[in-house]
Amino acid sequence: AQSVTQPDIHITVSEGASLELRCNYSYGATPYLFWYVQSPGQGLQLLLKYFSGDTLVQGIKGFEAEFKRSQSSFNLRKPSVHWSDAAEYFCAVGGVGQAGTALIFGKGTTLSVSS
Amino acid sequence: DSGVTQTPKHLITATGQRVTLRCSPRSGDLSVYWYQQSLDQGLQFLIQYYNGEERAKGNILERFSAQQFPDLHSELNLSSLELGDSALYFCASSVGGGDPRNTEAFFGQGTRLTVV
């Protein structure tokens, strides 16, 4: 079945440490890939997107993600986490199946930042 | 600020009732999407409208319906409400059109619906 998997429900990282959030998708073709962030009580904000081309994409707030076709992955990274990065992060795919241009989301990963 | 406006922000209603959620897309966006976010189901796509026409359907219940008006604002109607319909309902908008790259969506703040 078509799906987006975020294996980690909750991650805690020390402030200043590096971060990697995992995302895997299961679609036949390469979908369009996104990472969104949701702060408590807020809507979703786009961090970055991948359509084609360079497999390492840069986003806002110092985040980057790398698309690896062989692993069907699109992991999100940040070299040094700040306390304000504590939020819920969603990986999403678009342009697949009957959903058309709608986004299919993973279950999300909650990031906590410890001091 | 994403430019997508949703009203109301909060809604409390009783089981069996009907409510209407409203969404104004970003200026220039023709596509409107509705999503439901709940603890058990996560973020689920409900339905998409593009320039007034229904474009795609996701996991939308028959008790739910939506429409997009000529001024491009959209409404999501939820009827015969059940306790399980309590959730955060998001509207998102995008440029739309036939290019799948127009999947970049901008989300509103959501409407939190509580059914009691």
Side-chain angles (χ1 to χ4, degrees):
Chain A
Q2 299 174 332
S3 64
V4 178
T5 303
Q6 293 180 246
D8 304 306
I9 296 173
H10 191 187
I11 284 182
T12 299
V13 175
S14 298
E15 190 168 16
S18 64
L19 169 71
E20 182 169 26
L21 301 182
R22 296 182 291 163
C23 173
N24 294 95
Y25 64 91
S26 61
Y27 293 96
T30 300
Y32 302 109
L33 297 158
F34 304 82
W35 276 98
Y36 282 83
V37 61
Q38 183 181 25
S39 298
Q42 300 296 313
L44 283 81
Q45 181 183 24
L46 179 66
L47 286 175
L48 47 77
K49 59 184 183 281
Y50 173 79
F51 290 145
S52 64
D54 192 347
T55 57
L56 185 64
V57 293
Q58 302 296 320
I60 63 171
K61 305 185 180 186
F63 286 93
E64 66 178 27
E66 185 172 13
F67 168 62
K68 292 186 177 179
R69 184 189 306 274
S70 60
Q71 299 177 17
S72 296
S73 69
F74 188 56
N75 294 348
L76 181 71
R77 301 194 294 247
K78 187 169 185 178
S80 178
V81 168
H82 187 261
W83 65 266
S84 61
D85 293 324
E88 190 158 18
Y89 291 79
F90 292 93
C91 180
V93 302
V96 293
Q98 295 184 352
T101 56
L103 296 174
I104 307 300
F105 286 89
K107 295 287 190 185
T109 297
T110 300
L111 172 66
S112 297
V113 180
S114 61
S115 56
Chain B
D1 182 4
S2 67
V4 179
T5 304
Q6 288 188 248
T7 56
K9 286 187 169 49
H10 301 276
L11 199 49
I12 302 175
T13 190
T15 54
Q17 295 299 304
R18 172 188 168 95
V19 297
T20 297
L21 313 183
R22 195 179 193 277
C23 169
S24 295
R26 289 190 324 156
S27 177
D29 284 355
L30 298 180
S31 266
V32 169
Y33 309 81
W34 287 97
Y35 293 85
Q36 179 193 60
Q37 185 178 34
S38 61
L39 283 176
D40 52 343
Q41 298 292 326
L43 262 165
Q44 291 211 74
F45 165 61
L46 296 179
I47 196 164
Q48 177 201 0
Y49 276 79
Y50 173 72
N51 204 19
E53 300 289 327
E54 182 183 303
R55 177 61 66 92
K57 265 187 173 179
N59 299 322
I60 188 166
L61 299 172
E62 285 191 9
R63 299 183 286 109
F64 297 180
S65 65
Q67 53 186 327
Q68 186 179 28
F69 295 87
D71 67 352
L72 301 177
H73 91 271
S74 177
E75 293 181 355
L76 179 67
N77 300 296
L78 315 176
S79 62
S80 303
L81 284 167
E82 302 174 359
L83 296 177
D85 297 327
S86 295
L88 194 51
Y89 291 85
F90 284 110
C91 169
S93 72
S94 73
V95 171
D99 189 341
R101 287 177 295 180
N102 292 329
T103 50
E104 179 175 352
F106 296 85
F107 283 75
Q109 298 287 308
T111 293
R112 181 164 296 283
L113 173 66
T114 303
V115 182
V116 297

